[in-house]
Amino acid sequence: RAPHARSPPRALAARDKNKPDTMLEFTLNAVLRIVTFAMGFVCPAYASFKAIESKTSSDDTQWLTYWVVYSVFLIGENLADFAVFWLPGYRVLKCGFIFWLASPRFKGAQVLYDALVASSLRAAAPVIDKLIDHLTKGEFNAVRQELGPAAAALHAAGADAFAKTMTLAAEATKKAKEASGMARPGGAAPVEKKAN
């Protein structure tokens, strides 16, 4: 027999038994990413096109508000980096959140804009405008000086905050898997007995 035709070792064969769970998780994750993309970008982009083409301006305001709030959400998600993706059910929650944001029935984007985003952006507008002005003029040293104190504060707290967040996320994931029966304490996989 050729070396490549050998049967897989027992450890690999045992791992293959877990493959459907991994494949199910992979498939669900892929489907949720596509749904999230469609709900977050494709449908709102088409609705924005329709709003621009319509004669009323109320739908223009709705979709501009959506894009501002969704952009702030994406910025926050990217700043949180991988920490949020460790949370059990994050993608499902994200789909629900995007649906709520974009839905003309619930007008979640308007709710968040009025409650949080508008006041935060108004407060930050002078700094943001100054940074944009420096960037458009190519004054990168001025940008560095403006962002220096904030970057230093983030750098000082960032490593500890990130480590704590990742630890909490990993613990939450482990607890959720143990509660759902997906994993056994200590990481041991279930052992199947072979019939003789």
PDB file of all heavy atoms in Angstrom, residues 86-108:
ATOM      1  N   TRP A  86     -16.251  36.590  19.980  1.00  0.00           N
ATOM      2  CA  TRP A  86     -16.156  35.487  20.927  1.00  0.00           C
ATOM      3  C   TRP A  86     -17.466  35.294  21.670  1.00  0.00           C
ATOM      4  O   TRP A  86     -17.701  34.247  22.266  1.00  0.00           O
ATOM      5  CB  TRP A  86     -15.052  35.765  21.951  1.00  0.00           C
ATOM      6  CG  TRP A  86     -13.686  35.504  21.442  1.00  0.00           C
ATOM      7  CD1 TRP A  86     -12.947  36.301  20.631  1.00  0.00           C
ATOM      8  CD2 TRP A  86     -12.881  34.367  21.719  1.00  0.00           C
ATOM      9  NE1 TRP A  86     -11.733  35.736  20.390  1.00  0.00           N
ATOM     10  CE2 TRP A  86     -11.661  34.541  21.053  1.00  0.00           C
ATOM     11  CE3 TRP A  86     -13.069  33.218  22.475  1.00  0.00           C
ATOM     12  CZ2 TRP A  86     -10.647  33.612  21.119  1.00  0.00           C
ATOM     13  CZ3 TRP A  86     -12.044  32.307  22.540  1.00  0.00           C
ATOM     14  CH2 TRP A  86     -10.857  32.500  21.862  1.00  0.00           C
ATOM     15  N   LEU A  87     -18.303  36.310  21.679  1.00  0.00           N
ATOM     16  CA  LEU A  87     -19.552  36.229  22.435  1.00  0.00           C
ATOM     17  C   LEU A  87     -20.474  35.210  21.780  1.00  0.00           C
ATOM     18  O   LEU A  87     -20.705  35.265  20.567  1.00  0.00           O
ATOM     19  CB  LEU A  87     -20.232  37.595  22.496  1.00  0.00           C
ATOM     20  CG  LEU A  87     -19.436  38.693  23.195  1.00  0.00           C
ATOM     21  CD1 LEU A  87     -20.149  40.032  23.034  1.00  0.00           C
ATOM     22  CD2 LEU A  87     -19.232  38.362  24.660  1.00  0.00           C
ATOM     23  N   PRO A  88     -21.033  34.303  22.565  1.00  0.00           N
ATOM     24  CA  PRO A  88     -21.944  33.307  21.991  1.00  0.00           C
ATOM     25  C   PRO A  88     -23.170  33.987  21.383  1.00  0.00           C
ATOM     26  O   PRO A  88     -23.760  34.871  21.997  1.00  0.00           O
ATOM     27  CB  PRO A  88     -22.345  32.449  23.197  1.00  0.00           C
ATOM     28  CG  PRO A  88     -21.396  32.785  24.282  1.00  0.00           C
ATOM     29  CD  PRO A  88     -20.840  34.134  24.000  1.00  0.00           C
ATOM     30  N   GLY A  89     -23.507  33.600  20.186  1.00  0.00           N
ATOM     31  CA  GLY A  89     -24.694  34.127  19.522  1.00  0.00           C
ATOM     32  C   GLY A  89     -24.527  35.539  18.993  1.00  0.00           C
ATOM     33  O   GLY A  89     -25.523  36.183  18.640  1.00  0.00           O
ATOM     34  N   TYR A  90     -23.292  36.028  18.899  1.00  0.00           N
ATOM     35  CA  TYR A  90     -23.077  37.419  18.469  1.00  0.00           C
ATOM     36  C   TYR A  90     -23.658  37.679  17.082  1.00  0.00           C
ATOM     37  O   TYR A  90     -24.322  38.677  16.864  1.00  0.00           O
ATOM     38  CB  TYR A  90     -21.591  37.778  18.487  1.00  0.00           C
ATOM     39  CG  TYR A  90     -21.348  39.151  17.912  1.00  0.00           C
ATOM     40  CD1 TYR A  90     -21.684  40.286  18.641  1.00  0.00           C
ATOM     41  CD2 TYR A  90     -20.844  39.318  16.628  1.00  0.00           C
ATOM     42  CE1 TYR A  90     -21.511  41.545  18.104  1.00  0.00           C
ATOM     43  CE2 TYR A  90     -20.662  40.572  16.088  1.00  0.00           C
ATOM     44  CZ  TYR A  90     -20.992  41.680  16.827  1.00  0.00           C
ATOM     45  OH  TYR A  90     -20.827  42.926  16.287  1.00  0.00           O
ATOM     46  N   ARG A  91     -23.412  36.783  16.149  1.00  0.00           N
ATOM     47  CA  ARG A  91     -23.887  37.022  14.779  1.00  0.00           C
ATOM     48  C   ARG A  91     -25.417  37.041  14.706  1.00  0.00           C
ATOM     49  O   ARG A  91     -25.987  37.826  13.950  1.00  0.00           O
ATOM     50  CB  ARG A  91     -23.320  35.973  13.830  1.00  0.00           C
ATOM     51  CG  ARG A  91     -21.839  36.152  13.615  1.00  0.00           C
ATOM     52  CD  ARG A  91     -21.449  35.800  12.199  1.00  0.00           C
ATOM     53  NE  ARG A  91     -20.020  35.823  12.047  1.00  0.00           N
ATOM     54  CZ  ARG A  91     -19.332  36.907  11.701  1.00  0.00           C
ATOM     55  NH1 ARG A  91     -19.958  38.019  11.481  1.00  0.00           N
ATOM     56  NH2 ARG A  91     -18.032  36.853  11.571  1.00  0.00           N
ATOM     57  N   VAL A  92     -26.065  36.213  15.486  1.00  0.00           N
ATOM     58  CA  VAL A  92     -27.536  36.211  15.507  1.00  0.00           C
ATOM     59  C   VAL A  92     -28.038  37.538  16.079  1.00  0.00           C
ATOM     60  O   VAL A  92     -28.954  38.159  15.535  1.00  0.00           O
ATOM     61  CB  VAL A  92     -28.074  35.015  16.326  1.00  0.00           C
ATOM     62  CG1 VAL A  92     -29.578  35.090  16.472  1.00  0.00           C
ATOM     63  CG2 VAL A  92     -27.664  33.701  15.678  1.00  0.00           C
ATOM     64  N   LEU A  93     -27.416  37.972  17.174  1.00  0.00           N
ATOM     65  CA  LEU A  93     -27.789  39.255  17.775  1.00  0.00           C
ATOM     66  C   LEU A  93     -27.531  40.408  16.805  1.00  0.00           C
ATOM     67  O   LEU A  93     -28.334  41.341  16.713  1.00  0.00           O
ATOM     68  CB  LEU A  93     -27.020  39.482  19.077  1.00  0.00           C
ATOM     69  CG  LEU A  93     -27.383  38.571  20.235  1.00  0.00           C
ATOM     70  CD1 LEU A  93     -26.415  38.782  21.402  1.00  0.00           C
ATOM     71  CD2 LEU A  93     -28.804  38.806  20.681  1.00  0.00           C
ATOM     72  N   LYS A  94     -26.424  40.336  16.085  1.00  0.00           N
ATOM     73  CA  LYS A  94     -26.099  41.383  15.115  1.00  0.00           C
ATOM     74  C   LYS A  94     -27.157  41.438  14.014  1.00  0.00           C
ATOM     75  O   LYS A  94     -27.568  42.526  13.604  1.00  0.00           O
ATOM     76  CB  LYS A  94     -24.708  41.143  14.527  1.00  0.00           C
ATOM     77  CG  LYS A  94     -24.263  42.222  13.565  1.00  0.00           C
ATOM     78  CD  LYS A  94     -22.855  41.963  13.048  1.00  0.00           C
ATOM     79  CE  LYS A  94     -22.446  42.981  12.008  1.00  0.00           C
ATOM     80  NZ  LYS A  94     -21.102  42.723  11.477  1.00  0.00           N
ATOM     81  N   CYS A  95     -27.602  40.282  13.531  1.00  0.00           N
ATOM     82  CA  CYS A  95     -28.662  40.255  12.508  1.00  0.00           C
ATOM     83  C   CYS A  95     -29.928  40.930  13.027  1.00  0.00           C
ATOM     84  O   CYS A  95     -30.539  41.746  12.330  1.00  0.00           O
ATOM     85  CB  CYS A  95     -28.979  38.822  12.093  1.00  0.00           C
ATOM     86  SG  CYS A  95     -27.797  38.091  10.973  1.00  0.00           S
ATOM     87  N   GLY A  96     -30.321  40.584  14.250  1.00  0.00           N
ATOM     88  CA  GLY A  96     -31.504  41.197  14.846  1.00  0.00           C
ATOM     89  C   GLY A  96     -31.336  42.689  15.024  1.00  0.00           C
ATOM     90  O   GLY A  96     -32.260  43.478  14.769  1.00  0.00           O
ATOM     91  N   PHE A  97     -30.154  43.102  15.464  1.00  0.00           N
ATOM     92  CA  PHE A  97     -29.874  44.526  15.669  1.00  0.00           C
ATOM     93  C   PHE A  97     -29.948  45.284  14.350  1.00  0.00           C
ATOM     94  O   PHE A  97     -30.555  46.362  14.283  1.00  0.00           O
ATOM     95  CB  PHE A  97     -28.489  44.685  16.304  1.00  0.00           C
ATOM     96  CG  PHE A  97     -28.063  46.108  16.484  1.00  0.00           C
ATOM     97  CD1 PHE A  97     -28.675  46.911  17.441  1.00  0.00           C
ATOM     98  CD2 PHE A  97     -27.056  46.642  15.696  1.00  0.00           C
ATOM     99  CE1 PHE A  97     -28.283  48.230  17.610  1.00  0.00           C
ATOM    100  CE2 PHE A  97     -26.649  47.957  15.863  1.00  0.00           C
ATOM    101  CZ  PHE A  97     -27.266  48.757  16.819  1.00  0.00           C
ATOM    102  N   ILE A  98     -29.356  44.743  13.284  1.00  0.00           N
ATOM    103  CA  ILE A  98     -29.381  45.411  11.983  1.00  0.00           C
ATOM    104  C   ILE A  98     -30.808  45.482  11.452  1.00  0.00           C
ATOM    105  O   ILE A  98     -31.220  46.499  10.883  1.00  0.00           O
ATOM    106  CB  ILE A  98     -28.431  44.714  10.989  1.00  0.00           C
ATOM    107  CG1 ILE A  98     -26.988  44.933  11.432  1.00  0.00           C
ATOM    108  CG2 ILE A  98     -28.637  45.225   9.573  1.00  0.00           C
ATOM    109  CD1 ILE A  98     -25.977  44.130  10.670  1.00  0.00           C
ATOM    110  N   PHE A  99     -31.580  44.413  11.650  1.00  0.00           N
ATOM    111  CA  PHE A  99     -32.981  44.446  11.232  1.00  0.00           C
ATOM    112  C   PHE A  99     -33.716  45.570  11.949  1.00  0.00           C
ATOM    113  O   PHE A  99     -34.466  46.332  11.339  1.00  0.00           O
ATOM    114  CB  PHE A  99     -33.660  43.095  11.513  1.00  0.00           C
ATOM    115  CG  PHE A  99     -35.124  43.109  11.204  1.00  0.00           C
ATOM    116  CD1 PHE A  99     -35.579  43.029   9.902  1.00  0.00           C
ATOM    117  CD2 PHE A  99     -36.059  43.225  12.222  1.00  0.00           C
ATOM    118  CE1 PHE A  99     -36.930  43.071   9.606  1.00  0.00           C
ATOM    119  CE2 PHE A  99     -37.414  43.259  11.946  1.00  0.00           C
ATOM    120  CZ  PHE A  99     -37.844  43.180  10.626  1.00  0.00           C
ATOM    121  N   TRP A 100     -33.493  45.680  13.261  1.00  0.00           N
ATOM    122  CA  TRP A 100     -34.135  46.731  14.048  1.00  0.00           C
ATOM    123  C   TRP A 100     -33.701  48.117  13.569  1.00  0.00           C
ATOM    124  O   TRP A 100     -34.513  49.029  13.469  1.00  0.00           O
ATOM    125  CB  TRP A 100     -33.794  46.526  15.535  1.00  0.00           C
ATOM    126  CG  TRP A 100     -34.346  47.565  16.448  1.00  0.00           C
ATOM    127  CD1 TRP A 100     -35.644  47.718  16.836  1.00  0.00           C
ATOM    128  CD2 TRP A 100     -33.609  48.606  17.111  1.00  0.00           C
ATOM    129  NE1 TRP A 100     -35.755  48.777  17.693  1.00  0.00           N
ATOM    130  CE2 TRP A 100     -34.517  49.342  17.881  1.00  0.00           C
ATOM    131  CE3 TRP A 100     -32.274  48.960  17.122  1.00  0.00           C
ATOM    132  CZ2 TRP A 100     -34.138  50.423  18.657  1.00  0.00           C
ATOM    133  CZ3 TRP A 100     -31.882  50.034  17.900  1.00  0.00           C
ATOM    134  CH2 TRP A 100     -32.812  50.750  18.653  1.00  0.00           C
ATOM    135  N   LEU A 101     -32.395  48.271  13.271  1.00  0.00           N
ATOM    136  CA  LEU A 101     -31.893  49.558  12.787  1.00  0.00           C
ATOM    137  C   LEU A 101     -32.548  49.963  11.469  1.00  0.00           C
ATOM    138  O   LEU A 101     -32.966  51.104  11.293  1.00  0.00           O
ATOM    139  CB  LEU A 101     -30.379  49.502  12.547  1.00  0.00           C
ATOM    140  CG  LEU A 101     -29.427  49.659  13.692  1.00  0.00           C
ATOM    141  CD1 LEU A 101     -27.997  49.631  13.173  1.00  0.00           C
ATOM    142  CD2 LEU A 101     -29.666  50.912  14.480  1.00  0.00           C
ATOM    143  N   ALA A 102     -32.612  49.030  10.531  1.00  0.00           N
ATOM    144  CA  ALA A 102     -33.032  49.338   9.161  1.00  0.00           C
ATOM    145  C   ALA A 102     -34.530  49.327   8.965  1.00  0.00           C
ATOM    146  O   ALA A 102     -35.028  49.903   8.001  1.00  0.00           O
ATOM    147  CB  ALA A 102     -32.380  48.349   8.193  1.00  0.00           C
ATOM    148  N   SER A 103     -35.266  48.691   9.863  1.00  0.00           N
ATOM    149  CA  SER A 103     -36.703  48.521   9.672  1.00  0.00           C
ATOM    150  C   SER A 103     -37.448  49.853   9.709  1.00  0.00           C
ATOM    151  O   SER A 103     -37.377  50.581  10.701  1.00  0.00           O
ATOM    152  CB  SER A 103     -37.258  47.607  10.770  1.00  0.00           C
ATOM    153  OG  SER A 103     -38.663  47.595  10.722  1.00  0.00           O
ATOM    154  N   PRO A 104     -38.177  50.185   8.639  1.00  0.00           N
ATOM    155  CA  PRO A 104     -38.990  51.401   8.663  1.00  0.00           C
ATOM    156  C   PRO A 104     -40.083  51.336   9.732  1.00  0.00           C
ATOM    157  O   PRO A 104     -40.551  52.365  10.200  1.00  0.00           O
ATOM    158  CB  PRO A 104     -39.605  51.452   7.262  1.00  0.00           C
ATOM    159  CG  PRO A 104     -38.727  50.605   6.412  1.00  0.00           C
ATOM    160  CD  PRO A 104     -38.192  49.542   7.323  1.00  0.00           C
ATOM    161  N   ARG A 105     -40.434  50.144  10.129  1.00  0.00           N
ATOM    162  CA  ARG A 105     -41.464  49.979  11.158  1.00  0.00           C
ATOM    163  C   ARG A 105     -40.928  50.364  12.546  1.00  0.00           C
ATOM    164  O   ARG A 105     -41.592  51.055  13.305  1.00  0.00           O
ATOM    165  CB  ARG A 105     -41.954  48.538  11.172  1.00  0.00           C
ATOM    166  CG  ARG A 105     -42.980  48.264  12.226  1.00  0.00           C
ATOM    167  CD  ARG A 105     -43.442  46.837  12.180  1.00  0.00           C
ATOM    168  NE  ARG A 105     -44.422  46.593  13.212  1.00  0.00           N
ATOM    169  CZ  ARG A 105     -44.795  45.428  13.596  1.00  0.00           C
ATOM    170  NH1 ARG A 105     -44.292  44.350  13.024  1.00  0.00           N
ATOM    171  NH2 ARG A 105     -45.690  45.276  14.540  1.00  0.00           N
ATOM    172  N   PHE A 106     -39.729  49.882  12.885  1.00  0.00           N
ATOM    173  CA  PHE A 106     -39.175  50.121  14.219  1.00  0.00           C
ATOM    174  C   PHE A 106     -38.335  51.393  14.295  1.00  0.00           C
ATOM    175  O   PHE A 106     -38.177  51.961  15.361  1.00  0.00           O
ATOM    176  CB  PHE A 106     -38.331  48.912  14.668  1.00  0.00           C
ATOM    177  CG  PHE A 106     -39.120  47.658  14.783  1.00  0.00           C
ATOM    178  CD1 PHE A 106     -38.893  46.602  13.907  1.00  0.00           C
ATOM    179  CD2 PHE A 106     -40.100  47.511  15.747  1.00  0.00           C
ATOM    180  CE1 PHE A 106     -39.616  45.433  14.001  1.00  0.00           C
ATOM    181  CE2 PHE A 106     -40.835  46.343  15.850  1.00  0.00           C
ATOM    182  CZ  PHE A 106     -40.596  45.298  14.972  1.00  0.00           C
ATOM    183  N   LYS A 107     -37.742  51.795  13.177  1.00  0.00           N
ATOM    184  CA  LYS A 107     -36.901  52.994  13.109  1.00  0.00           C
ATOM    185  C   LYS A 107     -35.850  53.024  14.217  1.00  0.00           C
ATOM    186  O   LYS A 107     -35.645  54.020  14.902  1.00  0.00           O
ATOM    187  CB  LYS A 107     -37.757  54.248  13.137  1.00  0.00           C
ATOM    188  CG  LYS A 107     -38.653  54.346  11.926  1.00  0.00           C
ATOM    189  CD  LYS A 107     -39.360  55.653  11.838  1.00  0.00           C
ATOM    190  CE  LYS A 107     -40.199  55.634  10.562  1.00  0.00           C
ATOM    191  NZ  LYS A 107     -40.926  56.825  10.355  1.00  0.00           N
ATOM    192  N   GLY A 108     -35.163  51.887  14.381  1.00  0.00           N
ATOM    193  CA  GLY A 108     -34.133  51.771  15.401  1.00  0.00           C
ATOM    194  C   GLY A 108     -32.991  52.742  15.193  1.00  0.00           C
ATOM    195  O   GLY A 108     -32.424  53.273  16.159  1.00  0.00           O
TER     196      GLY A 108
END
